[in-house]
């Protein structure tokens, strides 16, 4: 057996034994447990420090298994599953009997997706059941996109880290609620709004976003230790300099349009030109600036098209008020 095949067998054993596992997906690493084992699911919440009312995603091995996990599959859900699975799309549907309330935070709906990662799919196939998995980070912090991130953040709290390399997409899945009359995006992510609309043939509602400097409405989540400040693209350099002069250790997300600009700061990340590459690197960049000792990160929002919608959503949340630990 190859090393990865051995690891996949071991990981399936951990799930069968009621353990906790870090697993790779195409979006971010997940903290997984057997979806049908309420005690194992409860341990996810303990390790993450996540409130038990905050529902999890059930990962399954193929679109054909969807009916096993939900009460009914509306036509729009069927279409989206066929079109985007395996892939970074999560569908919220009415909960089936197999899903314990522990996994849904007590809700009568359940979030389901088929991840597009060969190691995750091999694991799901070897295991045979569903795997509930939130992102494998402590509650409120930045999601891990490498196995090293997981080890640094969760260490011995997980029974096994299944290393599938760096995550391709880099931001979490798009969550679409298909329980109502019209599909609605609950969280922008790896599948773009444009792609959803093209598949459905009509516009899809997204959560409202507003303003650049964000007042109270976005509680902090996906947040590095450093405070994140969002400014207009033309003000990134001046804002960084002002804060650095005021005594901060400033980290800068320098937009690709400004590459080569002189910036007075502690650390600079030159952002890639493509939104795909930006999403892929986003959480790693935030971690890097933390590691380099920055206490303030100055960034601007990308255009709200394609993956820019998800990147902007994560940046806004990282910049939100720190209400909980
Ligand atoms: O890409 C992803 O989605 C990653 C990988 C590991 O699959 N997972 C992930 O899980 O981001 P987590 O737990 O960090 O975020 C799941 C989101 C939460 O914001 C939760 O509120 C929402 O999914 N969610 C889960 N079940 C739901 C439900 N029944 N109704 C509405 N939202 C739900
Ligand atoms: Mg998360």
């Amino acid at each position: 057996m190859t090393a990865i095949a051995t690891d996949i067998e071991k990981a399936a054993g951990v799930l069968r034994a009621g353990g906790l596992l870090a697993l790779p997906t195409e979006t971010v690493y997940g903290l997984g447990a057997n979806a049908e084992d309420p005690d194992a699911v409860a341990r996810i919440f303990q390790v993450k420090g996540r409130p038990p009312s905050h529902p999890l995603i059930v990962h399954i091995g193929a679109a054909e298994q969807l009916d096993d996990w939900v009460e009914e599959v509306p036509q729009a859900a069927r279409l989206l599953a066929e079109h985007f699975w395996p892939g970074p799309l999560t569908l919220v549907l009415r909960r089936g009997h197999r899903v314990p309330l522990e996994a849904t935070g007590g809700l009568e709906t359940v979030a389901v997706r088929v991840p597009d990662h060969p190691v995750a799919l091999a694991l799901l196939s070897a295991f045979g059941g569903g795997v509930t998995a939130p992102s494998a980070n402590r509650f409120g912090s930045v999601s891990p996109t490498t196995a090293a991130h997981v080890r640094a953040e969760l260490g011995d709290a997980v029974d096994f880290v299944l290393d599938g390399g760096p995550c391709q997409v880099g931001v979490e899945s798009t969550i679409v609620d298909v329980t109502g009359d019209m599909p609605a995006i609950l969280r922008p992510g790896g599948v773009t709004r444009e792609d959803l609309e093209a598949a459905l043939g009509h516009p899809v509602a997204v959560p409202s976003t507003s303003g650049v400097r964000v007042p109270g409405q976005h509680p902090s989540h996906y947040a590095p230790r450093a405070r994140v400040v969002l400014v207009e693209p033309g003000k990134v350099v001046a804002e960084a300099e002002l804060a650095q002069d005021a005594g901060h250790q400033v980290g800068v997300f320098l937009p690709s349009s400004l590459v080569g600009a002189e910036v007075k700061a502690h650390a600079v990340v030159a952002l890639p030109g493509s939104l795909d590459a930006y999403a892929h690197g986003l959480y790693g960049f935030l971690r890097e600036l933390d590691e380099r000792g920055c206490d303030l990160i100055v960034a601007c929002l990308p255009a709200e098209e394609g993956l820019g919608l998800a990147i902007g959503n994560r940046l806004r949340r990282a910049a939100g008020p720190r209400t909980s630990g």
Side-chain angles (χ1 to χ4, degrees), residues 48 50 135 137 143 172 187 221-222:
K48 258 191 88 95
R50 172 162 164 153
S135 50
N137 52 281
S143 301
E172 296 82 353
R187 176 181 74 182
H221 214 100
Y222 310 101

Side-chain angles (χ1 to χ4, degrees), residues 224-226 249-254 266-269 283-299:
R225 279 194 307 276
Q249 297 293 308
V250 177
V252 178
F253 272 19
L254 192 67
H266 179 69
V268 176
V269 169
Y283 291 140
F285 300 152
L286 291 170
R287 279 173 194 269
E288 179 192 329
L289 292 180
D290 267 349
E291 276 157 23
R292 291 171 72 180
C294 297
D295 62 27
L296 190 88
I297 296 172
V298 178

Side-chain angles (χ1 to χ4, degrees), residues 5-316:
T6 309
D7 282 356
I8 287 165
E9 272 312 310
K10 184 170 172 189
V14 167
L15 293 172
R16 283 186 208 107
L20 282 196
L21 175 79
L23 75 152
T25 80
E26 79 282 32
T27 58
V28 302
Y29 272 75
L31 176 61
N34 177 358
E36 293 171 273
D37 180 339
D39 293 336
V41 172
R43 249 185 88 203
I44 293 178
F45 290 90
Q46 276 166 24
V47 165
K48 258 191 88 95
R50 172 162 164 153
S53 59
H54 207 119
L56 305 175
I57 296 171
V58 177
H59 298 72
I60 59 174
E64 296 73 52
Q65 296 166 16
L66 179 59
D67 299 74
D68 300 342
W69 296 91
V70 303
E71 187 64 37
E72 61 173 344
V73 182
Q75 212 180 342
R78 187 81 65 196
L79 186 150
L80 292 174
E82 277 169 10
H83 209 278
F84 294 103
W85 283 353
L89 176 72
T90 295
L91 297 174
V92 173
L93 293 142
R94 287 178 54 205
R95 182 178 69 94
H97 306 298
R98 276 176 88 169
V99 184
L101 285 167
E102 281 79 359
T104 69
L107 294 175
E108 286 304 331
T109 54
V110 61
V112 185
R113 85 177 189 101
V114 180
D116 186 15
H117 191 294
V119 173
L121 290 171
L123 171 67
L124 289 163
S125 163
F127 173 56
V131 174
T132 39
S135 50
N137 52 281
R138 308 260 178 209
F139 186 60
S141 82
V142 175
S143 301
T145 51
T146 66
H149 293 164
V150 178
R151 290 192 194 100
E153 186 151 343
L154 297 179
D156 294 339
V158 287
D159 299 308
F160 186 55
V161 177
L162 181 58
D163 190 344
C167 303
Q168 195 80 40
V169 177
V171 292
E172 296 82 353
S173 60
T174 302
I175 303 179
V176 176
D177 183 347
V178 273
T179 59
D181 293 339
M182 293 287 272
I185 296 177
L186 301 182
R187 176 181 74 182
V191 167
T192 65
R193 176 186 22 192
E194 293 87 338
D195 285 346
L196 286 171
E197 292 180 342
L200 289 165
H202 59 73
V204 180
V206 279
S208 65
T209 50
S210 63
V212 165
R213 269 184 193 276
V214 191
Q217 79 266 40
H218 297 283
S220 176
H221 214 100
Y222 310 101
R225 279 194 307 276
R227 195 157 66 82
V228 177
V229 174
L230 298 175
V231 299
E232 298 293 341
K235 296 194 175 141
V236 169
V237 171
E239 181 79 21
E241 185 161 336
L242 214 64
Q244 187 73 23
D245 283 343
H248 285 288
Q249 297 293 308
V250 177
V252 178
F253 272 19
L254 192 67
S256 58
S257 57
L258 296 179
V259 161
E262 257 325 279
V263 197
K264 190 171 165 193
H266 179 69
V268 176
V269 169
L271 294 176
S274 87
L275 290 170
D276 283 12
Y278 189 174
H280 174 78
L282 175 65
Y283 291 140
F285 300 152
L286 291 170
R287 279 173 194 269
E288 179 192 329
L289 292 180
D290 267 349
E291 276 157 23
R292 291 171 72 180
C294 297
D295 62 27
L296 190 88
I297 296 172
V298 178
C300 62
L301 295 169
E304 294 212 326
E305 59 188 27
L307 285 178
L309 197 63
I311 295 167
N313 172 275
R314 304 309 187 269
L315 286 173
R316 280 198 172 88

